[in-house]
């Protein structure tokens, strides 16, 4: 009997959050181990469906770097990275579009639909969703020690978001699942970092939350302990003093940009934990690191 009572308490704990987030948009960047391990993939699909059924509007933006790498390797094509970005020539861009917009996107859509959801797969090329421009990357020339522009091919950044197609799907009770591929003014296709796309889409939708699923617990302090909340005003100091380092810097900056564009709250959480999204949204303590104006 106590187990049953405990289950009721869990539901009651979730009730105020269900009321608070009813009809609100939650943008989730889906990547890392959560996209690889079968138990986590099933749990993620169930989380998304539950959100939709209780009145939230989840929007999924997914990555797929390891899947792209495996296909390129099978083709005998080596992958190269500059500052964490995949060098994307025309042939690689074709593979990126095939894997992200095809195999990975449709697998996620299929998982959600198989569990009773109504998901629709998109790329940024659909309905003019993501207008992109070529990413201008700079580095230091090792010989002259002067700045230089580095050409990494068809890697893009977001110029603008047209959220009309997402809004139309939400109003029709569908769940958008978006591959981070953008289109340029002349119809050229660009590979864009999924975190950045998720942040820009969250901003365009004035989402209640942006959640980035990662393979770490969140941001840790210099003492190794998880930092549960960070005010965006503290971020520059935490980067300068080395608390936020490496690959966590662009993720945190993505969250800051989303807050500046109207997102209420952002979260970096551990996607290796089963039902991580539900634990963050519907429990008092939450998980990971929340970044917002506190």
């Amino acid at each position: 009997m106590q187990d049953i009572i405990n289950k009721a308490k869990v539901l009651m704990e979730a009730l105020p959050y269900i009321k608070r987030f009813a009809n609100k948009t939650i943008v989730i960047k889906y990547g890392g181990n959560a996209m690889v391990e079968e138990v986590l993939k099933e749990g993620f699909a169930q989380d998304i469906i539950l959100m939709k059924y209780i009145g939230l509007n989840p929007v999924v933006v997914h990555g797929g770097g390891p899947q792209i790498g495996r296909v390129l390797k099978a083709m005998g094509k080596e992958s190269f990275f500059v500052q964490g970005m995949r060098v994307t020539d025309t042939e690689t861009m074709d593979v990126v579009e095939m894997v992200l917009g095809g195999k990975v996107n449709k697998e996620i859509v299929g998982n959600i639909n198989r569990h009773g959801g109504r998901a629709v797969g998109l790329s940024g090329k659909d309905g003019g969703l993501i207008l992109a421009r070529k990413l201008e990357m700079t580095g230091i020339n090792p010989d002259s020690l002067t700045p230089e522009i580095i050409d990494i091919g068809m890697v893009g950044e977001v110029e603008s978001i047209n959220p009309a197609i997402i809004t139309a799907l939400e109003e029709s009770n569908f769940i958008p699942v978006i591959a981070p591929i953008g289109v340029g003014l002349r119809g050229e296709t660009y590979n864009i970092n999924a975190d950045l796309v998720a942040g820009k889409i969250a901003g365009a939708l004035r989402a209640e939350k942006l959640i980035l699923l990662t393979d770490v617990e969140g941001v840790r302090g210099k003492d190794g302990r998880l930092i549960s909340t960070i005010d965006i005003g503290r971020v520059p100091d935490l980067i300068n003093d080395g608390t936020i380092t490496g690959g966590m810097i662009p993720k945190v900056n993505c969250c800051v940009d989303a807050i500046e564009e109207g997102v209420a709250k952002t979260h970096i959480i551990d996607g290796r934990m089963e039902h991580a999204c539900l634990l963050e949204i519907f429990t008092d303590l939450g998980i990971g690191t929340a970044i917002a104006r506190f």
Side-chain angles (χ1 to χ4, degrees), residues 4-292:
I4 297 174
I5 294 172
N6 289 339
K7 289 179 181 178
K9 289 180 178 178
V10 170
L11 293 173
M12 293 309 298
E13 181 180 346
L15 179 59
Y17 301 104
I18 293 172
K19 292 168 63 178
R20 182 189 305 175
F21 301 136
N23 300 314
K24 300 292 180 64
T25 294
I26 312 290
V27 177
I28 302 148
K29 187 271 177 160
Y30 181 41
N33 281 328
M35 287 182 64
V36 177
E37 297 182 20
E38 288 301 323
V39 171
L40 297 177
K41 287 161 63 174
E42 298 296 303
F44 178 79
Q46 292 166 351
D47 289 1
I48 296 299
I49 293 165
L50 178 60
M51 289 182 212
K52 192 67 175 179
Y53 270 109
I54 61 178
L56 283 69
N57 290 315
V59 175
V60 179
V61 179
H62 65 83
Q67 293 90 330
I68 294 167
R70 285 195 294 270
V71 172
L72 289 171
K73 185 176 181 180
M75 294 171 57
K77 189 173 180 64
E78 190 173 354
S79 294
F80 296 96
F81 293 87
V82 175
Q83 297 178 23
M85 298 287 190
R86 184 185 301 275
V87 177
T88 307
D89 58 17
T90 301
E91 185 180 30
T92 301
M93 188 65 241
D94 288 341
V95 172
V96 169
E97 188 165 17
M98 176 184 70
V99 174
L100 289 184
K103 184 179 186 302
V104 173
N105 187 272
K106 300 316 173 191
E107 180 183 2
I108 298 167
V109 167
N111 280 343
I112 293 172
N113 291 345
R114 184 163 51 85
H115 285 86
R118 301 175 71 214
V120 175
L122 304 168
S123 81
K125 300 172 78 172
D126 294 312
L129 174 57
I130 303 173
L131 179 63
R133 59 178 176 263
K134 186 179 176 69
L135 176 66
E136 293 187 359
M137 181 174 288
T138 59
I140 301 297
N141 186 300
D143 298 321
S144 64
L145 299 180
T146 57
E148 65 177 0
I149 295 175
I150 304 172
D151 187 355
I152 55 174
M154 303 305 291
V155 177
E157 58 184 345
V158 176
E159 178 78 34
S160 63
I161 299 290
N162 177 7
I165 189 170
I166 299 176
T167 302
L169 289 170
E170 287 182 336
E171 290 173 351
S172 299
N173 209 33
F174 287 99
I175 300 167
V177 178
I178 302 165
I181 297 167
V183 61
L185 287 172
R186 294 183 296 276
E188 61 272 43
T189 304
Y190 289 106
N191 177 22
I192 311 177
N193 177 276
D195 289 339
L196 299 181
V197 170
K200 291 296 184 181
I201 287 176
L205 293 170
R206 297 296 189 269
E208 183 69 19
K209 287 182 180 290
L210 166 66
I211 298 175
L212 304 182
L213 291 178
T214 68
D215 287 340
V216 296
E217 289 181 290
V219 179
R220 290 191 174 276
K222 289 187 174 181
D223 60 1
R225 294 182 180 180
L226 181 69
I227 303 175
S228 59
T229 60
I230 297 176
D231 186 278
I232 62 171
R234 293 183 58 211
V235 168
D237 290 339
L238 291 174
I239 292 174
N240 290 336
D241 71 12
T243 300
I244 300 173
T245 60
M248 189 58 73
I249 293 176
K251 290 183 183 298
V252 171
N253 284 335
C254 169
C255 291
V256 172
D257 289 344
I259 296 295
E260 297 286 4
E261 292 180 11
V263 176
K265 202 170 186 180
T266 66
H267 306 266
I268 299 173
I269 68 173
D270 191 351
R272 300 169 301 177
M273 184 180 297
E274 285 189 63
H275 304 295
C277 291
L278 298 187
L279 291 171
E280 174 52 54
I281 297 171
F282 297 119
T283 64
D284 293 335
L285 293 177
I287 60 174
T289 300
I291 301 171

